Amino acid sequence: MPNYGDLQNEIYLAGLSGVVPSLPMSFAELERRAELAMAPGTWSYVAGGAGDEHTQRRNRTAFDHWGLVPRMLRARTERDLSVDLFGIALPTPVFLSPIGVIGICTQDGHGDLATARAAAATGVPMVASTLTEDPMEEVAVEYGETPGFFQLYCPTDPEVAASLVSRAERSGHRGIVLTLDTWVTGWRPRDLATSNFPQLRGHCLANYFSDPVFRSRLASTPEDDPGSAILAWAMMFGKPLAWDDLAWLRSLTDLPLVLKGICHPDDARRAVDAGADGVFVSTHGGRQANGGLAAIDCLPEVAAAVPDVPVLFDSGVRSGSDVVKALALGATAVGIGRPYAYAAALAGTHGIVHVLRTILAEADLLMAVDGYPTLADLGPEAIRRT
Ligand SMILES: Cc1cc2nc3c(=O)[nH]c(=O)nc-3n(C[C@H](O)[C@H](O)[C@H](O)COP(=O)(O)O)c2cc1C
């Protein structure tokens, strides 16, 4: 059985014939090259965050105060990174977090399709955003055998919300990720300084413009009058959700429902009591609230509060060691965000596959070296706050 870590032998052996990797091997280099490859507005939208970006930085630096405890004489030549998520067997505990502008990150402007193809190639599921350049049905076709999930930004119009969820079901998505922290956009100085909000310029609204219920709310079609359609979208984008809304949202689907943005253990318990099948610890990559608490530091308490449901995690994951730390702190599955947007800008599907393979290789080799050959070995005793 091959291990994900075998990638390093592949690279070293290719090096004997003078071949060195054309794509970056570190996040710092990936970020540097992505800035050169992306249109300036797209770059600042993806790289930027809320306020002075303190939370965004904390999401990263907080990983440094967690350390894995090496355990010896537990070497196993085969590692097992597989995980069960809502009864779905996945080869790895990694997934692609929803990125609403991934569509415009690739050079061809079809980044959602590129991401779905990377999911198909790697078995790493994509959580497709509500905000895509290509409609979800066309994205879903590209998942191949890999399960896909749909992320919902709940519109104020309940029938549009119901329509989006039902389309996600019909196009074969295996779960709904409801994002809670973005009913209003956080204060983002980088985007404000350039008055740049991609959706208001008509980007990434394909799921709305292709939606029969959304279209029924317009006097003219989005093709005839895009300006009015964009305005209609802006008016109905984010419903200010309250706990009372959950019963209705739950009633929209029998698919697993995951609530994204949960950072407090009480919210996690309440979410599960209200019928959520999983919770998703995330600070939205520091793009929404610049409150200063790192997502990884919220994870242990949330995971302890809801031991019987899957806990998804993202925000600040840049490497395989970040993935392993999050798993040890209680995550069932770990989401990759900005790294794949940068990789998409450099090399589309190929770039995203590269980033996923490098993250998985590092995670696998870290588990090998530190004596945690399976995910079941990675419990709280594997990690310490340093
Ligand atoms: C450019 C960009 C767009 C995003 N769009 C969405 C989205 O449409 N829906 C959503 O739930 N989260 C969205 N997120 C948040 C990601 O799902 C994820 O929580 C975040 O990227 C994690 O932080 P990190 O990328 O710094 O690791 C977006 C993030 C970025 C960077």
Side-chain angles (χ1 to χ4, degrees):
M1 267 285 285
N3 291 303
Y4 288 95
D6 296 345
L7 176 62
Q8 73 171 349
N9 291 339
E10 204 180 290
I11 292 172
Y12 289 138
L13 288 173
L16 299 180
S17 325
V19 177
V20 294
S22 60
L23 289 167
M25 295 304 298
S26 71
F27 177 74
E29 179 64 5
L30 179 66
E31 193 174 37
R32 195 186 67 77
R33 282 174 54 183
E35 182 172 4
L36 301 175
M38 289 168 112
T42 309
W43 160 257
S44 71
Y45 184 79
V46 175
D52 67 359
E53 301 178 357
H54 174 70
T55 302
Q56 187 175 331
R57 286 189 297 280
R58 288 283 295 158
N59 278 338
R60 279 291 321 125
T61 55
F63 275 93
D64 297 341
H65 60 232
W66 293 100
L68 289 159
V69 186
R71 299 299 304 272
M72 294 298 118
L73 294 168
R74 308 203 305 196
R76 279 247 305 264
T77 51
E78 284 184 10
R79 270 80 62 194
D80 182 4
L81 272 66
S82 66
V83 69
D84 182 283
L85 198 61
F86 311 116
I88 306 166
L90 297 175
T92 80
V94 167
F95 63 93
L96 293 150
S97 282
I99 291 204
V101 292
I102 197 68
I104 56 171
C105 287
T106 52
Q107 305 300 331
D108 70 355
H110 293 282
D112 308 289
L113 302 180
T115 307
R117 289 174 190 139
T122 57
V124 171
M126 170 180 184
V127 182
S129 171
T130 314
L131 298 166
T132 52
E133 277 290 271
D134 289 285
M136 65 175 100
E137 291 81 0
E138 290 173 32
V139 177
V141 165
E142 303 295 336
Y143 295 152
E145 297 299 309
T146 303
F149 297 83
F150 179 72
Q151 175 266 326
L152 180 70
Y153 281 135
C154 186
T156 52
D157 184 327
E159 288 173 21
V160 174
S163 178
L164 290 171
V165 171
S166 123
R167 286 172 59 197
E169 272 187 1
R170 277 183 277 127
S171 50
H173 290 87
R174 306 287 295 275
I176 304 290
V177 173
L178 173 67
T179 300
L180 302 174
D181 59 14
T182 314
W183 56 274
V184 61
T185 310
W187 180 255
R188 299 179 188 164
R190 285 205 217 198
D191 299 330
L192 292 163
T194 50
S195 307
N196 177 38
F197 199 76
Q199 291 79 3
L200 287 177
R201 295 172 185 216
H203 292 301
C204 309
L205 300 180
N207 282 330
Y208 302 88
F209 289 5
S210 62
D211 191 88
V213 182
F214 177 84
R215 292 174 75 93
S216 75
R217 304 302 194 244
L218 307 174
S220 330
T221 66
E223 297 75 35
D224 288 338
D225 184 0
S228 299
I230 293 168
L231 200 61
W233 167 79
M235 301 297 285
M236 76 160 73
F237 170 68
K239 182 172 166 60
L241 291 170
W243 287 106
D244 287 348
D245 295 307
L246 276 187
W248 161 68
L249 282 154
R250 176 67 280 183
S251 76
L252 295 180
T253 181
D254 292 328
L255 287 176
L257 179 68
V258 181
L259 302 194
K260 180 170 187 265
I262 297 283
C263 291
H264 192 289
D266 289 349
D267 288 353
R269 275 185 284 265
R270 197 160 174 190
V272 173
D273 289 346
D277 300 284
V279 297
F280 190 150
V281 177
S282 170
T283 57
H284 211 110
R287 300 170 65 74
Q288 280 299 95
N290 192 32
L293 195 56
I296 191 72
D297 290 340
C298 300
L299 176 59
E301 274 187 74
V302 171
V306 288
D308 299 328
V309 302
V311 176
L312 281 64
F313 169 82
D314 76 16
S315 293
V317 177
R318 300 290 177 263
S319 66
S321 70
D322 294 342
V323 169
V324 177
K325 287 179 186 181
L327 294 168
L329 289 170
T332 314
V334 180
I336 311 299
R338 287 181 175 93
Y340 87 84
Y342 296 155
L346 291 185
T349 300
H350 176 56
I352 301 170
V353 169
H354 169 81
V355 154
L356 292 173
R357 288 187 75 203
T358 54
I359 288 174
L360 287 167
E362 188 191 347
D364 175 51
L365 291 169
L366 179 60
M367 288 168 66
V369 174
D370 270 356
Y372 301 101
T374 73
L375 297 191
D377 299 313
L378 273 175
E381 68 293 340
I383 193 156
R384 281 197 203 140
R385 201 175 166 114
T386 59

Short mmCIF file of all heavy atoms in Angstrom, two decimals, residues 190-197 201:
data_model
loop_
_atom_site.label_atom_id
_atom_site.label_comp_id
_atom_site.label_asym_id
_atom_site.label_seq_id
_atom_site.Cartn_x
_atom_site.Cartn_y
_atom_site.Cartn_z
N ARG A 190 -8.62 46.25 3.27
CA ARG A 190 -7.96 46.12 1.96
C ARG A 190 -8.95 46.28 0.82
O ARG A 190 -8.67 46.94 -0.18
CB ARG A 190 -7.32 44.73 1.81
CG ARG A 190 -6.08 44.52 2.59
CD ARG A 190 -5.25 43.43 1.90
NE ARG A 190 -4.60 42.60 2.87
CZ ARG A 190 -3.56 41.82 2.59
NH1 ARG A 190 -3.08 41.76 1.35
NH2 ARG A 190 -3.01 41.07 3.52
N ASP A 191 -10.12 45.63 0.98
CA ASP A 191 -11.12 45.71 -0.09
C ASP A 191 -11.78 47.08 -0.11
O ASP A 191 -12.11 47.60 -1.18
CB ASP A 191 -12.18 44.61 0.09
CG ASP A 191 -11.55 43.23 0.04
OD1 ASP A 191 -10.53 43.07 -0.65
OD2 ASP A 191 -12.06 42.32 0.71
N LEU A 192 -11.96 47.65 1.08
CA LEU A 192 -12.57 48.98 1.15
C LEU A 192 -11.68 50.01 0.47
O LEU A 192 -12.17 50.90 -0.24
CB LEU A 192 -12.83 49.35 2.62
CG LEU A 192 -13.91 48.51 3.30
CD1 LEU A 192 -13.82 48.64 4.82
CD2 LEU A 192 -15.30 48.91 2.81
N ALA A 193 -10.37 49.87 0.64
CA ALA A 193 -9.44 50.85 0.08
C ALA A 193 -9.51 50.88 -1.44
O ALA A 193 -9.20 51.90 -2.07
CB ALA A 193 -8.02 50.54 0.54
N THR A 194 -9.91 49.76 -2.04
CA THR A 194 -10.01 49.73 -3.51
C THR A 194 -11.47 49.62 -3.96
O THR A 194 -11.75 49.35 -5.13
CB THR A 194 -9.20 48.54 -4.08
OG1 THR A 194 -9.58 47.36 -3.37
CG2 THR A 194 -7.71 48.76 -3.94
N SER A 195 -12.39 49.80 -3.01
CA SER A 195 -13.85 49.66 -3.28
C SER A 195 -14.12 48.38 -4.06
O SER A 195 -14.86 48.39 -5.04
CB SER A 195 -14.39 50.83 -4.09
OG SER A 195 -14.05 52.03 -3.49
N ASN A 196 -13.52 47.29 -3.63
CA ASN A 196 -13.58 46.07 -4.42
C ASN A 196 -14.33 44.97 -3.69
O ASN A 196 -13.86 44.44 -2.70
CB ASN A 196 -12.14 45.58 -4.71
CG ASN A 196 -12.13 44.26 -5.46
OD1 ASN A 196 -12.97 44.03 -6.34
ND2 ASN A 196 -11.21 43.39 -5.09
N PHE A 197 -15.51 44.64 -4.21
CA PHE A 197 -16.24 43.48 -3.71
C PHE A 197 -16.68 42.69 -4.93
O PHE A 197 -17.60 43.10 -5.67
CB PHE A 197 -17.44 43.93 -2.85
CG PHE A 197 -17.94 42.84 -1.97
CD1 PHE A 197 -17.24 42.48 -0.82
CD2 PHE A 197 -19.08 42.13 -2.30
CE1 PHE A 197 -17.68 41.44 0.00
CE2 PHE A 197 -19.53 41.08 -1.48
CZ PHE A 197 -18.83 40.75 -0.34
N ARG A 201 -19.51 43.19 -8.53
CA ARG A 201 -19.10 43.39 -9.93
C ARG A 201 -19.59 42.24 -10.81
O ARG A 201 -19.13 42.06 -11.93
CB ARG A 201 -17.58 43.52 -9.99
CG ARG A 201 -17.14 44.78 -9.25
CD ARG A 201 -15.65 44.93 -9.07
NE ARG A 201 -15.42 46.11 -8.24
CZ ARG A 201 -14.42 46.94 -8.38
NH1 ARG A 201 -13.52 46.74 -9.31
NH2 ARG A 201 -14.30 47.98 -7.58
#
